[in-house]
Amino acid sequence: MDPLLEGVVAAAQPCSLALLLPAAGATVLAGRRGWLVATACITGAILATWGRASGLLPWLDPSSAGVIGPALAVVAVVGTVLLWQASRKALDPNTNDSSQTHAAGADAFRAGAGGAAVGVAAGLIWQPCVGPALGNVLSRLPDDPIGLFLPFAGYIVGLLLAVVALAALPHLHPTVTRRLGAVPVRVAAALPLVALAAVLVTGSHAQVIGALVRISSP
């Protein structure tokens, strides 16, 4: 099976939730900037997981002794704050057109940086349910990390294809944008990001990920 297609299929399995839910939450929280956040989140997840799986960045292991786990928790918190700020300012009715124009660049930076931070933090604790296509890629990845980058990235893109669909929702109709901007929806979207930071701070990410993988195993 093609890695991209295998990633699409794997998105329905519990083992994918550790990566899929934070990425989806970040995208919904970003509202009309969902395209930017989804792209940044997917890119961050690809680079982080590829670097770790290929052995090029072996120290990027949040389960090892040291400061990686707490540092990732800080990254997740900062990403959540940046996304919340960007989405709040975009919805502020008191902001005039001139102010919005001047602030657009800063808010876009906040949204992109927040999405990338969430993608990196979630990607580094995520453990995939390895199928034949991904298993073949992972087995050869340490020997040819550059040559197998695209197949590996294709799997992540397939896994997060639903996030791309979520990014399109605010552009379908103004009513959808208003509803996604409601406080309850934004709070619900932020919950996976808060949970990501919480499991990293408490060091319980290994147990949570292990449980998701066991549930996914036949």
Side-chain angles (χ1 to χ4, degrees), residues 22-100:
T27 300
V28 171
L29 188 60
R32 294 185 65 84
R33 289 193 177 90
W35 288 111
L36 172 62
V37 171
T39 301
C41 193
I42 292 172
T43 302
I46 288 173
L47 294 176
T49 54
W50 170 77
R52 183 180 174 189
S54 65
L56 294 178
L57 301 172
W59 50 272
L60 285 179
D61 186 353
S63 298
S64 61
V67 298
I68 299 301
L72 285 179
V74 173
V75 168
V77 169
V78 170
T80 302
V81 171
L82 289 173
L83 288 166
W84 185 271
Q85 288 179 338
S87 65
R88 183 189 63 188
K89 291 185 177 182
L91 295 165
D92 187 357
N94 297 319
T95 305
N96 58 41
D97 292 340
S98 176
S99 298
Q100 286 182 343

Side-chain angles (χ1 to χ4, degrees), residues 13-18 125-130 205-218:
Q13 300 182 27
C15 58
S16 302
L17 294 178
I125 66 169
W126 165 70
Q127 183 175 337
C129 293
V130 180
H205 51 277
Q207 292 87 342
V208 172
I209 301 302
L212 291 175
V213 171
R214 287 192 296 272
I215 294 171
S216 304
S217 302

Side-chain angles (χ1 to χ4, degrees), residues 1 3 6 130-142 148 151-152:
M1 184 183 293
E6 188 170 281
V130 180
L134 181 61
N136 181 47
V137 171
L138 290 177
S139 65
R140 299 184 293 124
L141 191 60
L148 292 171
F152 181 85

